[in-house]
Amino acid sequence: MHITGTSASDIADSIRGIIERGDARPGDTLPSVRALADELGVNRNTAVAAYRQLTQAGIVETRGRGGTRVAGRSPVAQEGFAQGSVLRDVGTGNPDPTRIPDPSAALARMGGRPVLYGEPVIDRGLEAWAQTWMSDVPAAERRITITSGAADAVERLLAQALTRDDAVALEDPCFLTSIHTVRLGGYRAVPVPVDGEGMTVDGLRAALDQGVRAVVCTPRAQNPTGASLSDRRARDLREVLAEHPFVLVIEDDHFSLLSQRSYHSLVGPAQRRWAVIRSVSKFLGPDMGVAVTASDPETADRLAMRLTPGTTWVSHLLQRLVHALVADAEVMDAVAAAGAHYADRNAAFAARLAQRGLAVPPGDGLSLWVPLPAPARAVSEQLMRRGWLARSGDDFVIADLEASRRLRLTVHDLDDDDADQLADDLVAAVAAARGQAVMREVG
């Protein structure tokens, strides 16, 4: 294995190339830090930094005294239903299908002439509505872009601003799709802790000190924690970002119209590069692949270049359908009712757990982030024996080990009897997992 380079990035590129050519396979051991530094004639810290870049990109894994090895291509966690399971799935992260508006009436009345090459890529009606929707974004000038969902917008925004191995600040624990987007793009994920008020100030400052080129933040209903930025926290984060005006700030306001919390933005007057994304998938359905992005003019122009007309514009039929739905007062009343329903059901389940000795902040969003006095994987295994399939917090981790003692539960579609049963089974599962841990310690 012939590794070259004198800087951390060059060494990481060399190792990446070796792996991509198939000259090193999953499980193969890489040289120790000391051996690599001696071979290349570089400082040991340089070798450590190269391995850190590759580890954060998911290309290699460090096993302490077991050394550094090429990472295997293990399946990545995905949102949605577990296929082929007979268990009751409470880890989906899905909206309630009965709360998604029926598009039949809107489909029947929409229409219009065909759209041809060279025409504007945004439906005029949707653009006018989107300008109003985005009017609370605190920026003097903003441009609107339509993409095929929020994940598509984040991927294209990062691609137009970053190159491989650039660092991106992500919330920790983090939304699964954001983790995948950063890793598959070859960027380095720099974790920023999240508390009850959202992304932490010290965490963001530390990430900026590490040279991140972009920050991806969820202002409301952070997935998986349910945290929303408070006014005070957003103000403090804007002050930190004011010293880094050319860092790209991406806000994924995915819960938008369903959220029960006020919107507070990271985008301050000094920020030169920013984008706020709002998808319709949570309230009009995941299959309605449309997201609205408001951004500064330069970012909008660069994003538009990655949405070349004639190849990747979002279907005008789909845009018209979205506009027909959001312009319907009854539909929007139903969306508001859905947001209240999710909040009420989550709060009710949190109260059930509190009555059983498990304190859970209800947060905002489609799911609950449940702290446990035992490892989440052990608790989820015990829940499986009781007929439930839950989502362990480990799936959402970048570096936060506390997430390994969390479950994300989607409970808004449970009736009262099922909710009581799940709460009882969760308490029993925790007790069983703790009992197993004690037996292992004694043994």
Side-chain angles (χ1 to χ4, degrees), residues 80-222:
F81 295 105
Q83 300 298 318
S85 175
V86 298
L87 304 175
R88 182 70 181 269
D89 192 345
V90 288
T92 69
N94 268 317
D96 185 339
T98 67
R99 298 279 171 173
I100 294 174
D102 183 351
S104 300
L107 282 168
R109 65 174 180 267
M110 62 175 282
R113 64 174 183 78
V115 174
L116 303 177
Y117 296 122
E119 297 192 34
V121 297
I122 303 178
D123 177 76
R124 290 180 180 177
L126 180 61
E127 183 176 20
W129 178 84
Q131 287 285 6
T132 301
W133 192 22
M134 291 293 191
S135 62
D136 57 346
V137 175
E141 186 177 6
R142 60 180 175 272
R143 301 261 188 92
I144 297 296
T145 309
I146 304 297
T147 62
S148 298
D152 179 52
V154 172
E155 181 178 14
R156 294 177 188 277
L157 284 163
L158 293 177
Q160 58 84 29
L162 276 61
T163 59
R164 195 170 70 177
D165 290 326
D166 277 346
V168 180
L170 293 181
E171 297 157 326
D172 190 21
C174 189
F175 180 42
L176 295 174
T177 301
S178 295
I179 297 174
H180 302 163
T181 299
V182 166
R183 287 180 175 170
L184 292 174
Y187 314 123
R188 291 187 292 114
V190 177
V192 179
V194 173
D195 63 18
E197 295 183 73
M199 181 178 277
T200 64
V201 176
D202 288 343
L204 177 60
R205 185 178 288 112
L208 291 166
D209 288 343
Q210 293 183 52
V212 298
R213 298 283 303 279
V215 176
V216 182
C217 177
T218 313
R220 293 184 281 193
Q222 197 268 345

Side-chain angles (χ1 to χ4, degrees), residues 183-309:
R183 287 180 175 170
L184 292 174
Y187 314 123
R188 291 187 292 114
V190 177
V192 179
V194 173
D195 63 18
E197 295 183 73
M199 181 178 277
T200 64
V201 176
D202 288 343
L204 177 60
R205 185 178 288 112
L208 291 166
D209 288 343
Q210 293 183 52
V212 298
R213 298 283 303 279
V215 176
V216 182
C217 177
T218 313
R220 293 184 281 193
Q222 197 268 345
N223 191 348
T225 67
S228 297
L229 287 175
S230 66
D231 183 33
R232 180 185 64 181
R233 179 63 56 80
R235 183 173 62 251
D236 292 344
L237 292 171
R238 288 195 299 269
E239 289 180 3
V240 173
L241 285 166
E243 301 175 9
H244 303 269
F246 291 99
V247 168
L248 174 62
V249 175
I250 301 173
E251 289 185 352
D252 183 3
D253 191 20
H254 70 107
F255 210 52
S256 59
L257 294 181
L258 295 170
S259 181
Q260 305 300 294
R261 307 296 173 88
S262 299
Y263 167 63
H264 300 295
S265 179
L266 269 67
V267 179
Q271 213 63 43
R272 299 286 296 275
R273 307 194 65 191
W274 58 271
V276 177
I277 307 165
R278 289 176 178 161
S279 168
V280 305
S281 63
K282 296 297 188 300
F283 58 89
L284 296 185
D287 196 43
M288 197 76 70
V290 172
V292 174
T293 298
S295 63
D296 66 271
E298 180 181 351
T299 298
D301 287 343
R302 297 178 68 161
L303 181 56
M305 290 177 64
R306 303 194 69 85
L307 288 161
T308 307

